[in-house]
Amino acid sequence: MDEHMGTASLLSSIDKKLLCVLRDGRKLIGFLRSIDQFANLVLQDTIERIYVGDEYGDIERGIYLIRSENVVLLGEIDETRENTLKQVSVEEILIAQSELQQKREEQEKLRNKILLDRGLQPESLFDDIYS
């Protein structure tokens, strides 16, 4: 078990491949290279992974600096685990993501209309999914 508390506990994760979920919903995978006293992170060889249904696509992002307040979840990747999802090209996953987002926005508009018709004030789900 790690003896350190707080930010120092992340020191044991240096040079390991991590998954980082951000407040805006993006999922980044990369090697943790640096961390400061505020838990700001530097990931190297970073990819942004986009999931749509049982498919995913990876967009290369390179070196990525992540401000600590934007991190929702940080965990080590188990590369020995079998992947049951299908990897598709960046173009395919971006099209699928756009279609999914349009569908969600249409559902959100319908939901908001129903709430307004009932005299209730709708809230937007797309500003910050973790606030």
Side-chain angles (χ1 to χ4, degrees), residues 26 28-29 43-50 58-64 94:
R26 285 182 289 167
L28 302 174
I29 298 173
L43 296 181
Q44 185 179 15
D45 300 330
T46 306
I47 58 168
E48 179 179 349
R49 182 159 287 177
I50 300 172
D58 293 337
I59 303 172
E60 293 186 24
R61 297 293 188 198
I63 294 180
Y64 220 88
L94 289 175

Side-chain angles (χ1 to χ4, degrees), residues 59-87:
I59 303 172
E60 293 186 24
R61 297 293 188 198
I63 294 180
Y64 220 88
L65 174 63
I66 304 168
R67 192 173 164 129
S68 61
E69 66 189 31
N70 294 314
V71 175
V72 174
L73 179 133
L74 186 67
E76 190 173 344
I77 299 285
D78 182 4
E79 297 189 73
T80 62
R81 188 169 178 184
E82 183 179 338
N83 184 1
T84 59
L85 301 176
K86 177 185 172 191
Q87 185 171 9

Side-chain angles (χ1 to χ4, degrees), residues 3-63:
E3 298 173 15
H4 301 290
M5 301 288 289
T7 304
S9 66
L10 290 173
L11 292 174
S12 62
S13 296
I14 295 285
D15 296 330
K16 292 185 180 174
K17 193 171 190 178
L18 302 178
L19 165 69
C20 182
V21 178
L22 303 180
R23 285 180 60 139
D24 64 4
R26 285 182 289 167
K27 289 128 186 107
L28 302 174
I29 298 173
F31 293 92
L32 182 63
R33 295 299 185 209
S34 181
I35 185 166
D36 66 9
Q37 69 269 26
F38 305 108
N40 296 316
L41 311 171
V42 175
L43 296 181
Q44 185 179 15
D45 300 330
T46 306
I47 58 168
E48 179 179 349
R49 182 159 287 177
I50 300 172
Y51 297 95
V52 178
D54 61 350
E55 298 178 335
Y56 72 94
D58 293 337
I59 303 172
E60 293 186 24
R61 297 293 188 198
I63 294 180

Side-chain angles (χ1 to χ4, degrees), residues 109-122:
K109 285 180 185 177
L110 178 60
R111 178 184 166 273
N112 288 347
K113 183 181 180 322
I114 291 169
L115 288 173
L116 285 171
D117 289 346
R118 294 180 181 173
L120 300 171
Q121 181 64 40

